[in-house]
């Protein structure tokens, strides 16, 4: 069994106190040539250090069992190369989120459930050193003058740090892992949606409907967005825009853009809005935005209204109706002063479908509703639900008739309407 094959909360206790890791790390640095080490790949570097540490412990260290020896070697190398006690957690594929609430309280999320684990930092200083390693890699800093920072690891995980005096429990470090890429059919097998909804969503993407994916934190918005993108025809040019590049599109012609925070001097920031505006000059067929949360919403709506049909975006909200209201509010945050009536017209003309996600008590995620926007210019927002989740229904999901406008558009695109939906007039729910 390799050094990283073990579950992190099953690690054996060390025979020596945690602070001895720092001692062995100093011994390691005294024996290696850092210039030679820089020429090696990450895997080669780790293998070399494990060998050297094993030799040092065998020569100078105490008598340890095999498991204790493996554990000590791993911890010393993790401390020398990476993020110390966090390295085994990052290597555990079952962990989707790591939450450090001070040096003595570490929680992880597995299968949608949060659990406390036995991993701890030896001291608060060790936790601060780990935080400094993370933020320094992206030319950021965290101190009393800037006690909050967002960053990401070289492997892409999103990181948030908040420290005292804002945090009353000590330094708090939150690391969100990349969601695994799922096909829509795989999500159906996991119970996130049914076969009819899968067929409908695939048809809507191919027919170039503009889609908003709505849901709260951790409901699987990015996962669904990635799954839906698989139905974009390969001949189209796609530009993706994200705070942290998480999307893994399978098409060949994809340009991935990522925002950039300001540097230590407070300059050089590139926001989502900057990237959306720039994307319009890149001749995209579709624009996919990981999440809108500010003034960039107006630019995204304008892009959807000016020849970029089939674009997709996610937004934090609790229902399709709330998603429309939130888009309206976010679009009004632009420095361009636009009347709410004009913003409403932009949303009516830009957004075709809203997919609402939810996270249930057992940690699973599912589609709760698919609603078609049937209102048009100078009308109040009106939504027609075509899929709803109902526990009383066999299988959970109920299919409702498609509005005639959406059905006609699917037919013109050569996408047959799944028979279970049928077609009728625009029977709607009004906000």
């Amino acid at each position: 069994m390799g050094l990283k094959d073990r579950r992190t909360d099953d690690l054996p206790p060390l025979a020596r106190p945690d602070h001895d890791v720092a001692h062995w790390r100093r011994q390691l640095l005294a024996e290696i040539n850092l210039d030679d080490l820089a020429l090696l790949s990450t895997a080669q570097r780790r293998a070399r250090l494990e060998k050297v540490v094993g030799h040092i412990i065998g020569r100078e260290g105490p008598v340890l069992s095999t498991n204790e020896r493996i554990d000590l070697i791993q911890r010393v190398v993790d401390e020398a190369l990476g993020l110390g006690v966090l390295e085994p957690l990052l290597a555990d594929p079952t962990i989707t989120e790591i939450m450090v609430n001070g040096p003595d309280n570490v929680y992880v999320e597995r299968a949608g459930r949060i659990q406390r684990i036995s991993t701890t930092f030896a001291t608060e200083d060790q936790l601060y050193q780990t935080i400094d390693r993370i933020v320094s890699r992206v030319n950021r800093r965290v101190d009393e003058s800037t006690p909050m920072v967002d960053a990401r690891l070289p492997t892409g995980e999103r990181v948030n740090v908040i420290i005292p005096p804002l945090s009353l429990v000590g330094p708090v470090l939150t690391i969100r892992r990349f969601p695994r890429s799922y096909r829509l059919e795989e999500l159906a097998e996991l119970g996130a949606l049914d076969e009819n909804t899968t067929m409908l969503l695939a048809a809507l993407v191919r027919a170039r409907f503009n889609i908003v994916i709505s849901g709260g934190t951790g409901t699987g918005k990015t996962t669904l967005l990635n799954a839906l993108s698989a139905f974009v025809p390969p001949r189209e040019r796609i530009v993706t825009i994200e705070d942290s590049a998480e999307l893994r599109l399978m098409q060949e012609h994809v340009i991935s853009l990522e925002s950039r925070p300001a540097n230590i001097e407070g300059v050089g920031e590139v926001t989502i809005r900057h990237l959306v505006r720039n994307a319009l000059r890149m001749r995209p067929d579709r624009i996919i935005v990981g999440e809108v949360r500010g003034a960039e919403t107006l630019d995204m709506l304008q892009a959807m209204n000016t020849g970029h049909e089939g674009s997709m975006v996610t937004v934090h909200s609790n229902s399709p109706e709330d998603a429309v209201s939130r888009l309206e509010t976010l679009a009004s945050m632009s420095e361009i002063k636009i009347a709410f009536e004009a913003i409403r017209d932009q949303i009516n003309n830009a957004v075709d479908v809203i997919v609402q996600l939810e996270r249930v008590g057992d940690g699973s995620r599912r589609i709760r509703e698919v609603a078609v926007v049937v209102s048009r210019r100078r009308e109040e927002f009106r939504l027609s639900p075509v899929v709803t989740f109902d526990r009383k229904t066999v299988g959970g999901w109920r299919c409702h008739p498609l509005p005639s406008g959406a059905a006609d558009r699917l037919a013109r695109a050569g996408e047959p309407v799944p028979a279970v939906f049928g077609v009728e007039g625009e029977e709607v729910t009004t906000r």
Side-chain angles (χ1 to χ4, degrees):
M1 181 166 58
L3 293 179
K4 289 195 172 185
D5 291 339
R6 292 168 294 139
R7 289 290 290 267
T8 55
D9 45 358
D10 295 329
L11 294 176
L14 287 178
R16 301 175 65 86
D18 281 348
H19 67 260
D20 278 349
V21 172
H23 165 74
W24 298 118
R25 178 172 175 267
R26 289 192 295 270
Q27 293 289 94
L28 171 64
L29 293 176
E31 292 208 12
I32 61 173
N33 187 318
L34 295 177
D35 293 333
D36 291 342
L37 207 61
L39 301 176
L40 303 178
S41 67
T42 301
Q44 291 172 328
R45 196 177 300 135
R46 174 169 284 276
R48 174 75 64 82
L49 292 184
E50 287 174 354
K51 184 176 181 180
V52 174
V53 172
H55 175 72
I56 294 172
I57 293 175
R59 183 185 68 210
E60 304 179 12
V63 176
L64 300 173
S65 69
T66 300
N67 285 343
E68 290 172 341
R69 178 185 174 87
I70 290 174
D71 185 43
L72 180 56
I73 291 174
Q74 176 178 307
R75 297 190 66 170
V76 173
V77 174
D78 286 343
E79 189 68 28
L81 280 182
L83 302 180
V85 299
L86 296 182
E87 286 293 329
L89 305 182
L90 293 169
D92 188 337
T94 68
I95 293 176
T96 54
E97 196 123 12
I98 301 168
M99 294 151 279
V100 181
N101 307 336
D104 300 322
N105 296 303
V106 179
Y107 293 80
V108 298
E109 181 187 65
R110 286 191 178 102
R113 293 182 177 273
I114 295 177
Q115 62 186 95
R116 185 173 180 177
I117 59 174
S118 58
T119 298
T120 60
F121 289 81
T123 63
E124 190 172 89
D125 286 342
Q126 186 188 33
L127 175 53
Y128 272 115
Q129 290 171 7
T130 300
I131 290 172
D132 288 338
R133 287 188 186 183
I134 293 173
V135 299
S136 64
R137 292 175 178 176
V138 290
N139 199 25
R140 305 292 301 277
R141 70 180 180 193
V142 60
D143 50 34
E144 287 191 3
S145 62
T146 54
M148 293 187 298
V149 66
D150 289 310
R152 76 180 181 92
L153 300 178
T155 47
E157 291 87 351
R158 286 183 286 178
V159 179
N160 175 266
V161 176
I162 184 167
I163 65 171
L166 300 187
S167 167
L168 303 183
V169 298
V172 176
L173 171 66
T174 308
I175 302 176
R176 173 167 289 189
R177 306 289 298 276
F178 269 141
R180 173 181 167 249
S181 295
Y182 289 89
R183 294 180 293 107
L184 205 59
E185 295 80 5
E186 290 180 294
L187 294 179
E189 293 173 0
L190 293 172
L193 68 165
D194 64 352
E195 182 179 357
N196 292 321
T197 308
T198 299
M199 294 171 58
L200 176 64
L201 290 178
L204 292 172
V205 173
R206 289 192 294 260
R208 301 182 66 85
F209 281 64
N210 290 328
I211 299 175
V212 173
I213 300 174
S214 166
T217 300
T219 54
K221 297 186 296 296
T222 302
T223 300
L224 180 62
L225 181 61
N226 202 79
L228 291 180
S229 68
F231 297 101
V232 176
R235 65 180 179 275
E236 297 187 14
R237 176 176 169 91
I238 308 170
V239 177
T240 68
I241 300 170
E242 303 171 85
D243 269 332
S244 295
E246 298 180 8
L247 295 173
R248 294 291 183 269
L249 274 60
M250 293 180 286
Q251 290 83 351
E252 180 181 352
H253 202 167
V254 178
I255 296 90
S256 300
L257 306 180
E258 184 179 63
S259 65
R260 184 181 70 187
N263 61 19
I264 294 176
E265 288 74 30
V267 298
E269 181 182 22
V270 179
T271 66
I272 293 290
R273 187 174 196 191
H274 294 142
L275 296 178
V276 171
R277 288 181 169 182
N278 190 79
L280 298 177
R281 306 184 184 101
M282 299 172 65
R283 200 265 175 221
D285 289 306
R286 306 195 192 211
I287 298 175
I288 299 178
V289 179
E291 182 184 349
V292 289
R293 55 170 71 96
E296 71 275 1
T297 305
L298 180 61
D299 299 283
M300 187 66 202
L301 293 173
Q302 291 175 339
M304 290 177 168
N305 276 317
T306 55
H308 301 92
E309 292 87 359
S311 295
M312 292 181 275
V313 66
T314 74
V315 65
H316 269 73
S317 54
N318 296 321
S319 70
E321 292 80 11
D322 287 346
V324 172
S325 298
R326 182 157 170 77
L327 289 174
E328 191 176 23
T329 301
L330 293 175
S332 69
M333 295 170 64
S334 169
E335 75 278 1
I336 303 173
K337 300 305 178 183
I338 301 179
F340 269 94
E341 292 78 8
I343 295 175
R344 180 191 61 203
D345 289 346
Q346 290 268 4
I347 298 173
N348 272 334
N349 291 337
V351 179
D352 298 314
V353 177
I354 299 174
V355 182
Q356 183 67 39
L357 302 177
E358 68 176 357
R359 180 174 175 174
V360 293
D362 62 1
S364 62
R365 287 89 165 169
R366 67 180 171 222
I367 290 178
R368 192 178 76 202
E369 184 176 343
V370 179
V372 175
V373 179
V374 295
S375 50
R376 287 297 175 257
R377 186 180 295 275
R378 303 190 187 284
E379 295 181 356
E380 291 297 324
F381 295 126
R382 291 181 295 139
L383 302 173
S384 177
V386 295
V387 176
T388 54
F389 185 83
D390 184 355
R391 291 180 177 85
K392 299 178 182 179
T393 303
V394 177
W397 285 272
R398 293 182 58 192
C399 299
H400 306 272
L402 279 171
S404 58
D408 291 344
R409 185 171 167 186
L410 285 171
R412 289 195 302 271
E415 295 291 339
V417 178
V420 68
F421 290 96
V423 180
E424 65 176 37
E426 295 180 349
E427 293 189 0
V428 300
T429 59
T430 304
R431 184 178 60 168

